[in-house]
Amino acid sequence: MYWIKRIPEIREVISEWTKDGATIGLVPTMGYFHEGHLALMEKARQENDYVVVSLFVNPIQFGPNEDFQRYPRDEERDRELAEKAGVDLVFNPTAEEMYGQGFQSYVEVTEISQGLCGASRPGHFRGVTTVITKLFNIVQPDRAYFGEKDAQQLRVIQRMVRDLNFPVEIKPVPTVREADGLAKSSRNTYLSPEERKAALVLSKSLFYAKEQVAAGEDSVQRLSASMKRMITGEPLVSLEYLEFRESATLRPVSTITGEVLIALAARVGKTRLIDNITVRPGRR
Ligand code: AMP
């Protein structure tokens, strides 16, 4: 497995691979791998001749008071897990390599980046779309893999690829959860045992809503009220947002008539977690 830090070097390897028409799958990550990342790698492994994983804690997608400095990092462990997952190349550039002196070009997806996480993390999606654009230009993948866990990010990238004609197929991968329902996240390592327990209310409230919708409930107002009751019953958890959005466009909905994304963000202690579920109308 290659471990490459420099852009000219990765370009050389990729052009060697693709000169006879081999396909490349790209999995962009910030490292500290868990089964969510591994599911992306596995799917990429199945669908492409070569799998490239980028491991880059992207400074420009973090706000000034966010966790960029203390974001968990463990290169040795990541190297072993990537190797086991059959990854061919890990691209692990420095911030200097990606945003050298004089850097001043950004990519922005205007509407769908607003609201939800965009509301509390100004500039976050601009940082994401800029780094993904750079990675697409550097790696030139045929397919790129993104987790449904980051539902808004996935839609922002799908929009960007359509709007700007990137020749890349975006492949969504379902959210991987712990056995008890908590969505896997590198940030789960911040949680104390009490917080870890309290965090369960987030996935529980989403599963509850899905059941209710399957049983015929279609009122966003009622669903939202009962979910909020569940979540506020947990003193260690403070809800940032709970929103019901049309799945494809992220437009707000008041009744569940088609496919709806229920998305939430909350602080558990000091740790910000996000989760979501997709629901479809049940029997009437
Ligand atoms: P990150 O390293 O957190 O930036 O995540 C890298 C990629 O892994 C993103 O496309 C995420 O959506 C995806 N991902 C993170 N957690 C999960 C999960 N629990 N299940 C599936 N995909 C995930």
Side-chain angles (χ1 to χ4, degrees), residues 118-161:
S120 61
R121 305 188 73 188
H124 168 67
F125 287 114
R126 185 176 93 138
V128 170
T129 42
T130 299
V131 80
I132 295 297
T133 296
K134 286 177 65 74
L135 291 169
F136 284 178
N137 284 331
I138 293 165
V139 177
Q140 299 186 264
D142 297 274
R143 303 182 187 84
Y145 296 79
F146 293 89
E148 287 174 0
K149 157 96 184 341
D150 297 273
Q152 188 177 15
Q153 167 175 285
L154 171 62
R155 283 155 182 83
V156 166
I157 286 161
Q158 284 170 325
R159 187 72 258 166
M160 175 184 88
V161 162

Side-chain angles (χ1 to χ4, degrees), residues 28-30 34 36-37 40 71 146-147 149-150 174-176 184:
T29 81
M30 300 203 297
H34 51 66
H37 297 114
L40 271 59
Y71 195 82
F146 293 89
K149 157 96 184 341
D150 297 273
T175 301
V176 178
K184 301 240 182 199

